[in-house]
């Protein structure tokens, strides 16, 4: 069985819309991650659960990396030095990225090699910790950050940011 990453964003004409697509998808994935970790914790690993774990590993490995690059390389530079409030928000979000990546490093080995899981409670605890950090971060972005971003970026800037995001993925900007 081959596991492939499916791009959550369908259109890169608006960078803020790309972020919202990722947020929605990652929040759904977080719920699925917790269900998966609970099922493994409570019943052990099966072939189906192992496949789900590897698919989850594939998704998060690529999605988190892309999402953080989208923000750090494409969005944040366009917003820095506009206001102390925005600079503070960006600093907090960048720190969140570091925490999320550290939590992922603790969880990833469980999902990458589910057949080797011998600490099912450890999987559950790491999945809960990772999902909680991710959910809190995405909620902060959705409720506090993106509404502020929407007031500060022009349509042209949002388009340019989306084009840079497409370039990170190696997509043709004309099609993106």
């Amino acid at each position: 069985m081959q596991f492939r990453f499916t791009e959550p964003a369908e259109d890169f004409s608006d960078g803020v819309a790309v972020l919202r697509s990722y947020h929605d998808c990652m929040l759904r994935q977080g719920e699925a991650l917790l269900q998966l970790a609970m099922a493994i914790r409570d019943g052990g690993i099966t072939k189906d659960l192992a496949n789900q774990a590897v698919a989850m590993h594939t998704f998060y490995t690529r999605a988190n990396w892309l999402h953080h690059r989208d923000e750090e390389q494409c969005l944040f530079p366009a917003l820095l030095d506009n206001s102390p409030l925005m600079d503070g928000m960006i600093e907090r979000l960048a720190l969140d990225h570091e925490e999320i990546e550290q939590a992922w490093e603790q969880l990833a080995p469980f999902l990458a090699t589910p057949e080797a899981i011998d600490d099912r409670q450890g999987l559950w605890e790491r999945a809960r910790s990772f999902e909680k950090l991710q959910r809190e971060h995405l909620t902060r972005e959705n409720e506090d950050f993106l509404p502020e971003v929407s007031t500060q970026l022009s349509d042209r800037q949002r388009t340019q940011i989306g084009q840079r995001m497409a370039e990170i993925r190696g997509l043709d900007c004309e099609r993106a």
Side-chain angles (χ1 to χ4, degrees):
M1 178 174 267
Q2 187 177 21
F3 298 94
R4 298 180 54 132
F5 172 73
T6 302
E7 173 62 54
E10 296 177 12
D11 179 9
F12 289 83
S13 63
D14 178 347
V16 175
V18 171
L19 294 178
R20 288 191 188 281
S21 295
Y22 267 76
H23 292 180
D24 293 346
C25 183
M26 293 170 107
L27 288 168
R28 286 190 308 274
Q29 282 293 112
E31 292 172 13
L33 171 65
L34 292 178
Q35 290 173 357
L36 172 66
M38 188 181 309
I40 294 171
R41 180 195 68 190
D42 294 346
I45 197 73
T46 64
K47 183 177 180 178
D48 182 53
L49 293 175
N51 285 336
Q52 289 178 47
V54 173
M56 193 76 62
H57 181 270
T58 300
F59 172 80
Y60 276 116
T61 297
R62 187 76 175 143
N64 276 347
W65 185 87
L66 285 170
H67 182 63
H68 294 169
R69 295 303 123 350
D70 286 346
E71 291 177 348
E72 293 170 4
Q73 294 178 8
C74 304
L75 180 64
F76 293 171
L79 298 166
L80 279 172
D81 300 325
N82 285 346
S83 75
L85 173 65
M86 184 57 66
D87 290 351
M89 287 179 163
I90 289 170
E91 183 177 351
R92 176 66 249 169
L93 294 174
L95 291 171
D96 286 354
H97 291 174
E98 291 176 19
E99 290 179 71
I100 291 166
E101 289 168 8
Q102 289 171 357
W104 173 245
E105 288 175 15
Q106 297 296 310
L107 174 60
F110 286 91
L111 299 176
T113 55
E115 68 281 358
I117 295 173
D118 57 0
D119 181 5
R120 298 185 314 203
Q121 184 64 29
L123 163 66
W124 170 246
E125 290 168 5
R126 285 169 181 83
R128 275 191 9 215
S129 176
F130 171 77
E131 189 279 334
K132 180 179 186 279
L133 287 169
Q134 184 96 309
R135 180 177 21 87
E136 288 172 351
H137 172 77
L138 296 171
T139 300
R140 186 184 299 88
E141 286 186 352
N142 285 341
E143 293 177 1
D144 300 331
F145 183 65
L146 290 181
E148 188 69 25
V149 166
S150 294
T151 68
Q152 294 193 19
L153 294 177
S154 68
D155 290 345
R156 183 168 188 259
Q157 286 174 303
R158 289 167 68 131
T159 298
Q160 290 171 335
I161 290 167
Q163 289 173 341
R164 279 183 258 149
M165 292 172 175
E167 289 168 4
I168 286 174
R169 291 157 178 79
L171 300 175
D172 180 3
C173 289
E174 295 302 315
R175 293 186 330 197

